[in-house]
């Protein structure tokens, strides 16, 4: 997709990364030009958020249930008719966007998720494939819209649970199995999630070590 495919007043997301931390900042397209776009500014306490040279910014746009992204875009502040906007030059084509480079832990377990609909949250049983610090993937026979908000909880030790919220960013249909495969991005970071992922990874490694360890000589 190119800049010509973008529509004014449509929603976009800026993925701002500094070091190992990233933040999703939603905004809208104010103007589309031949080689650049203007975005509505993101305000905190009435002040426009700026991005330093130490940040990298990806621009995400959803078209026909697919998330497209421009990586490491150049972003600057500009004033037009007395109003401040973000200006982003876009000369290259966007590509389907995912975050599979993030560290993922295979789960492969059935879980219950709650999909938010106009009538409220509705529970569904799905198969959770994997979880990373940025999102998770699951399989279901149900069809959900991209950008739909979902919530689910992960059981922890000591009867504790970890509540997570995410948005669907990718959907693929398997004709042979007649199931949908979904990719989701967490709405906000959760510090407890890192500990859970590390614990699951340690458990996987211990299982592999015990499975492949040589039998002891009983003589």
């Amino acid at each position: 997709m190119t800049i010509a495919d973008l529509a004014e007043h449509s929603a976009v997301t800026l993925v701002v990364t500094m070091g190992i931390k990233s933040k999703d900042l939603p905004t809208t397209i104010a103007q589309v030009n031949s080689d650049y776009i203007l975005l509505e500014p993101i305000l905190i306490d009435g002040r426009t958020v700026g991005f330093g040279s130490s940040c990298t910014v990806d621009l995400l746009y959803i078209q026909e249930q697919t998330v497209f992204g421009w990586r490491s875009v150049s972003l600057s502040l500009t004033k037009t008719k007395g109003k401040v906007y973000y200006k982003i030059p876009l000369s290259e084509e966007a590509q389907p966007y995912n975050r599979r480079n993030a560290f993922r832990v295979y789960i492969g377990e059935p879980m219950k998720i709650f999909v938010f609909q106009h009538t409220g949250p509705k529970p569904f049983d799905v198969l959770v494939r994997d979880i990373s610090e940025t999102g998770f993937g699951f399989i279901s026979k149900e069809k959900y819209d991209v950008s739909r908000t979902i919530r689910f909880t992960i059981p922890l030790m000591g009867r504790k649970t970890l509540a997570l919220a995410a948005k669907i960013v990718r959907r693929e249909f398997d004709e042979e199995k007649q199931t949908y495969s979904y990719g989701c991005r967490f709405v906000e970071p959760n510090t407890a999630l890192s500990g859970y992922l590390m614990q699951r990874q340690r458990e996987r490694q211990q299982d592999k070590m015990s499975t492949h360890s040589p039998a002891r000589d009983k003589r």
Side-chain angles (χ1 to χ4, degrees):
M1 89 179 289
T2 67
I3 187 173
D5 298 309
L6 301 180
E8 293 184 355
H9 310 299
S10 58
V12 295
T13 299
L14 298 177
V15 182
V16 182
T17 302
M18 179 180 292
I20 61 173
K21 296 183 178 181
S22 63
K23 182 74 173 180
D24 289 6
L25 301 177
T27 182
T28 57
I29 298 176
Q31 189 178 121
V32 179
N33 296 279
S34 60
D35 58 354
Y36 70 90
I37 61 173
L38 298 181
L39 302 182
E40 295 290 346
I42 298 167
L43 304 178
I44 295 182
D45 296 330
R47 303 182 63 179
T48 301
V49 175
F51 307 102
S53 58
S54 59
C55 298
T56 59
V57 181
D58 295 347
L59 175 66
L60 307 188
Y61 183 84
I62 297 178
Q63 184 184 60
E64 296 180 354
Q65 306 296 331
T66 300
V67 178
F68 291 90
W70 285 267
R71 293 184 180 273
S72 300
V73 298
S74 175
L75 185 149
S76 60
L77 292 174
T78 187
K79 182 176 287 189
T80 301
K81 296 181 179 180
K83 184 175 179 180
V84 175
Y85 297 96
Y86 296 128
K87 180 179 180 179
I88 300 180
L90 294 176
S91 58
E92 298 180 354
E93 291 188 9
Q95 302 297 325
Y97 188 96
N98 64 65
R99 296 179 175 180
R100 293 183 179 182
N101 292 330
F103 173 71
R104 292 182 295 163
V105 172
Y106 175 76
I107 303 298
E109 297 177 1
M111 291 186 183
K112 188 180 294 295
I113 65 171
F114 290 85
V115 180
F116 281 71
Q117 303 177 345
H118 66 280
T119 56
K122 185 176 180 180
F124 292 93
D125 293 318
V126 303
L127 178 67
V128 175
R129 296 181 307 179
D130 51 55
I131 299 177
S132 74
E133 291 187 355
T134 58
F136 77 106
F138 71 92
I139 298 173
S140 173
K141 291 186 177 182
E142 302 288 338
K143 183 178 180 180
Y144 315 113
D145 292 335
V146 170
S147 77
R148 183 74 67 181
T149 300
I150 61 177
R151 292 185 182 274
F152 71 109
T153 57
I154 298 175
L156 303 177
M157 297 181 63
R159 295 185 178 181
K160 295 182 179 180
T161 58
L162 176 59
L164 298 169
K167 283 191 175 182
I168 298 175
V169 297
R170 187 180 68 258
R171 182 186 68 207
E172 299 174 359
F173 182 65
D174 188 323
E175 293 186 1
E176 181 179 352
K177 298 180 180 179
Q178 292 293 299
T179 58
Y180 291 93
S181 177
Y182 295 90
C184 304
R185 183 175 68 246
F186 290 128
V187 174
E188 56 187 18
N190 191 308
T191 55
L193 180 59
S194 298
Y196 168 79
L197 294 175
M198 292 179 63
Q199 177 62 32
R200 289 301 298 256
Q201 183 66 3
R202 283 195 293 265
E203 292 173 357
R204 299 285 182 183
Q205 291 175 343
Q206 290 173 358
D207 291 342
K208 289 182 179 180
M209 291 176 62
S210 61
T211 301
H212 295 93
S213 60
R216 293 184 178 180
D217 191 343
K218 296 183 180 180
R219 289 182 297 177

